[in-house]
Amino acid sequence: MASLKLPELVPSPTQDSERLRKAFQGFGTDERALILVLGHRNAQQRKEIAETYKQLYNESLIDRLHSELSGDFRNAIILWTYEPPERHARLANSALKAKRKGIKQLQVLVEITCASNPNHLVAVRQAYCSLFDSSLEEDIIANVAAPLKKLLVSLVSSYRYDKVAVNLEVAKSEASKLHEAINNKKLDDDHIVWTLSTRNLFQLRETFACYKNLYGNTLEQGIKSCGNGDLETLLQLVILCIDSPEKHFAKVIRDSIVGFGTDEDSLNRAIVTRAEVDLLKVRFEYSNMFKCSLDDDVIGDTSGDYKDFLMTLLGRGPEGE
């Protein structure tokens, strides 16, 4: 359930490009015009606008946004304007090239592999190769410590079946094998890695349900009982993104807001990447989990054009034209 709102009559890419060009010209930038256009167009429409803008004015729309804007608003609207595979490829590369590669940085790889459809993952891998002259798998191996790299390489290399296909006997059998590995505290066991990275999401959710029915606690709780290291945390993220991605992103948004200062990068990633997917579900889960309004919390922690843009993606900003 996407939160993005489109106008009833969408202007042509040429009309949108002309309006964007006008917003860039003159004294100062018309940020409201940028929000009204780009904040109310879907991925295909934004792609056509970017292509048309390049043809008309012989310059990159992304480059012009970068030169005209600044701060958190610039970062958010550029992230939004990228095509989704390129966006995720850039986010993955930033995570892998960060000086500190903790779970907070690496969770974007889990989101790409466990909270997206398999065709999107393939497109991200292709975009990554084109942009960075190396494969996503290569860069994980080069930049991530064991045993995290084993799980992450397996996740990004997979192509899950994306239709509803569930076998109860398989679910029971695999729940038993997962329980055995957890009891032996072998969280990098091949069976855990293979199951979580290759089975379709519907089959995995049935396996998680069987695990709870058979052993009285959730798979996440079982993994947590093994310790609180990075592998345990990464596995819990994988399970949450498979079982309930909207709960994961609600938590990402909450963690980005609560505490000293705002983590704008995480806030941008969650809202921008889910606005065309399930941001209405994320809003609902946020309210259930934290007993407060996602919209109110975002408004309270942001300001100016940045706040207006995020609220537009949340479906609560000014209507598009």
Side-chain angles (χ1 to χ4, degrees), residues 113-114 116-118 155 158-168 170-171 174 193-208 238-239 241-243:
T113 57
C114 300
S116 304
N117 69 60
L155 286 170
S158 72
Y159 185 86
R160 302 180 193 272
Y161 184 67
D162 65 347
K163 303 294 191 298
V164 179
V166 176
N167 185 311
L168 183 57
V170 170
E174 294 190 339
V193 173
W194 178 83
T195 300
L196 293 178
S197 61
T198 63
R199 288 297 190 194
N200 80 73
L201 302 184
F202 303 97
Q203 180 67 43
L204 283 170
R205 288 166 189 158
E206 185 63 36
T207 299
F208 300 161
V238 169
I239 293 164
C241 280
I242 289 169
D243 201 32

Side-chain angles (χ1 to χ4, degrees), residues 134-180:
S134 62
S135 72
L136 185 52
E137 295 90 332
E138 286 177 297
D139 281 354
I140 290 172
I141 291 169
N143 292 286
V144 179
L148 302 185
K149 73 171 68 177
K150 177 180 177 180
L151 175 59
L152 289 173
V153 168
S154 186
L155 286 170
V156 303
S157 303
S158 72
Y159 185 86
R160 302 180 193 272
Y161 184 67
D162 65 347
K163 303 294 191 298
V164 179
V166 176
N167 185 311
L168 183 57
E169 293 306 313
V170 170
K172 290 178 180 177
S173 171
E174 294 190 339
S176 174
K177 291 176 182 177
L178 290 171
H179 187 255
E180 181 182 352

Side-chain angles (χ1 to χ4, degrees), residues 214-269:
L214 288 169
Y215 305 109
N217 61 349
T218 67
L219 181 57
E220 286 177 278
Q221 291 169 328
I223 289 169
K224 194 172 183 179
S225 70
C226 293
N228 59 357
D230 282 349
L231 181 57
E232 287 86 350
T233 304
L234 188 67
L235 283 166
Q236 290 174 69
L237 271 175
V238 169
I239 293 164
L240 183 58
C241 280
I242 289 169
D243 201 32
S244 182
E246 55 271 19
K247 289 182 180 179
H248 165 75
F249 285 101
K251 187 174 185 303
V252 170
I253 293 173
R254 182 68 172 178
D255 289 347
S256 74
I257 291 172
V258 172
F260 182 74
T262 305
D263 178 2
E264 289 86 358
D265 289 343
S266 295
L267 181 61
N268 290 346
R269 188 184 81 249

Side-chain angles (χ1 to χ4, degrees), residues 274-289:
R274 307 310 286 190
E276 295 182 86
V277 183
D278 59 358
L279 202 48
L280 291 182
K281 289 184 178 179
V282 173
R283 175 190 280 133
F284 177 79
E285 288 298 340
Y286 190 97
S287 177
N288 275 354
M289 293 167 70

